[in-house]
Amino acid sequence: MKNQWITFREYLNYMSFYKLTNYFLLFISFQLSRLSKKPAIWGYPTTLSIEPTTSCNLRCPECPSGLRSFTRPTGMLDYELFKKIIDQSKKSLTYMHLYFQGEPFLHPQFLDMIRYSDESGVFTATSTNAHYISEKNVNHIIESGLKHMIVSMDGINQEVYQEYRVGGNLEKVQKGLSLILKRKKEMNKPFPRIILQFLVTGKNEHQIPDLKIWAKNMGVDELQLKTAQIYGFENGSELIPQNPEYSRYIPAKNGTWKLKKEIKNKCWRMWQGAVLTWDGRMLPCCFDKDGQQVMGEIQNNPLKDIWRNASYNSFRKQLLNDRSQIEICKNCTE
């Protein structure tokens, strides 16, 4: 509880009257749009996910980076393009996740991006598989201004861990975790907050009780049990957990599988924020991993213009009227 209060207090330090007003306008326009079935957007993005790179050291089976299966271009975010995105959005931005696909620590200027965001008044988080936390960079990570570090660790022994994190080394991950937690304590720093994320599958769900003990002993700030997104879930998969509490899917009557949650004609994400790929393409949300719904390109148009252009509003109108027809929404938990 103490850690949560410290985080909330720090989050408020990054707020401003403009940001709060902007958030309120977005929320009101979202609610009015739901009622009228016509998109109205009265503010600008309050959250963004920005992709440093599509490169990854692992080969996770349900991830385009891991499968090397992108149909969109792959590469690394240019630092000047990153600064351009931040400069255009920082006035309204309350939270930035420097991650989309790939392993962010593979970008040589990743920590420079974190620092630039923090100095621009943006509360910043990232997600990592933690293979690149070392004595060489641990102090730089802590001093960069990073506020949340989500560490993906989907098993508490190597045999189970590598079932999903193919090519990963659990010992290396745990050493990196231990190092940053120890160094934070030595430096008396509350941030980055270390969030251990466990992607629950049919192959690791039996480890959850032991995981909770391990995480407590390790001293992470938070443990998150995340449901797995599975491509082709309709035909079932060994990755679907048996415990429905940890599954996005349930059996259908005809022997297939379906989403546990009904797809409703609303989505706060479309009013709250967006995703920007490494090459500056603006996407509606993180479920569009292959960039099928490009709303515009930052190199060609200002972010604020893209946010309110005809393509974006057409997309919002479609989801308000019949979201089930949008391909990227068919495997969504919103």
Side-chain angles (χ1 to χ4, degrees), residues 87-192:
D87 291 345
Q88 289 187 13
S89 60
K90 64 184 179 182
K91 188 177 180 181
S92 63
L93 210 55
T94 62
Y95 183 93
M96 192 270 288
H97 195 192
L98 194 52
Y99 169 79
F100 176 35
Q101 296 296 291
E103 168 51 48
F105 276 91
L106 287 174
H107 196 295
Q109 293 175 291
F110 173 65
L111 292 178
D112 294 329
M113 294 178 187
I114 294 288
R115 186 170 291 104
Y116 189 81
S117 303
D118 185 67
E119 291 173 352
S120 298
V122 180
F123 189 98
T124 305
T126 194
S127 298
T128 176
N129 59 48
H131 281 73
Y132 299 99
I133 301 171
S134 66
E135 288 281 0
K136 185 178 180 180
N137 67 11
V138 65
N139 286 7
H140 296 299
I141 294 171
I142 294 170
E143 294 169 347
S144 67
L146 181 66
K147 294 300 179 284
H148 281 175
M149 177 184 281
I150 301 169
V151 175
S152 300
M153 194 191 85
D154 312 322
I156 57 172
N157 60 39
Q158 180 64 28
E159 182 181 3
V160 172
Y161 173 78
Q162 68 187 11
E163 283 281 351
Y164 189 82
R165 301 288 165 181
V166 179
N169 184 321
L170 181 61
E171 183 180 2
K172 196 170 185 179
V173 172
Q174 293 178 340
K175 281 184 177 179
L177 257 177
S178 180
L179 176 62
I180 195 167
L181 289 166
K182 179 183 176 184
R183 194 61 55 85
K184 272 179 60 184
K185 190 173 182 179
E186 291 171 350
M187 298 170 69
N188 194 29
K189 298 283 189 180
F191 298 103

Side-chain angles (χ1 to χ4, degrees), residues 205-268:
E205 61 182 320
H206 65 282
Q207 291 194 326
I208 291 175
D210 290 336
L211 168 73
K212 291 179 178 179
I213 296 170
W214 185 90
K216 184 177 180 180
N217 291 338
M218 178 63 74
V220 298
D221 295 295
E222 183 181 344
L223 172 63
Q224 290 182 351
L225 301 177
K226 184 181 179 182
T227 60
Q229 177 185 355
I230 298 170
Y231 294 102
F233 65 85
E234 294 88 353
N235 297 318
S237 168
E238 58 186 359
L239 294 176
I240 297 177
Q242 293 184 6
N243 187 338
E245 180 183 352
Y246 303 121
S247 177
R248 298 185 186 187
Y249 315 101
I250 56 174
K253 293 181 180 179
N254 58 1
T256 60
W257 290 74
K258 65 179 182 178
L259 279 176
K260 184 161 61 177
K261 291 184 178 180
E262 179 186 355
I263 296 178
K264 297 182 179 180
N265 294 331
K266 65 182 183 69
C267 184
W268 166 233

Side-chain angles (χ1 to χ4, degrees), residues 1 22 48 62 71 154 159 199 216 221 249 255 275 300:
M1 190 70 182
N22 179 73
L48 286 178
E62 294 293 323
T71 57
D154 312 322
E159 182 181 3
L199 190 66
K216 184 177 180 180
D221 295 295
Y249 315 101
V275 173
N300 301 326

Side-chain angles (χ1 to χ4, degrees), residues 21 32 51 53 68 76 90 94 98 108 111 121 157 170 179 190 192 197 205 232 268 273 287 306 308 327 330:
T21 303
L32 289 175
E51 181 179 63
T53 180
R68 313 304 196 256
M76 289 200 176
K90 64 184 179 182
T94 62
L98 194 52
L111 292 178
N157 60 39
L170 181 61
L179 176 62
Q197 185 173 272
E205 61 182 320
W268 166 233
F287 277 83
I306 298 172
R308 290 182 168 177
E327 190 63 32
K330 292 180 180 180

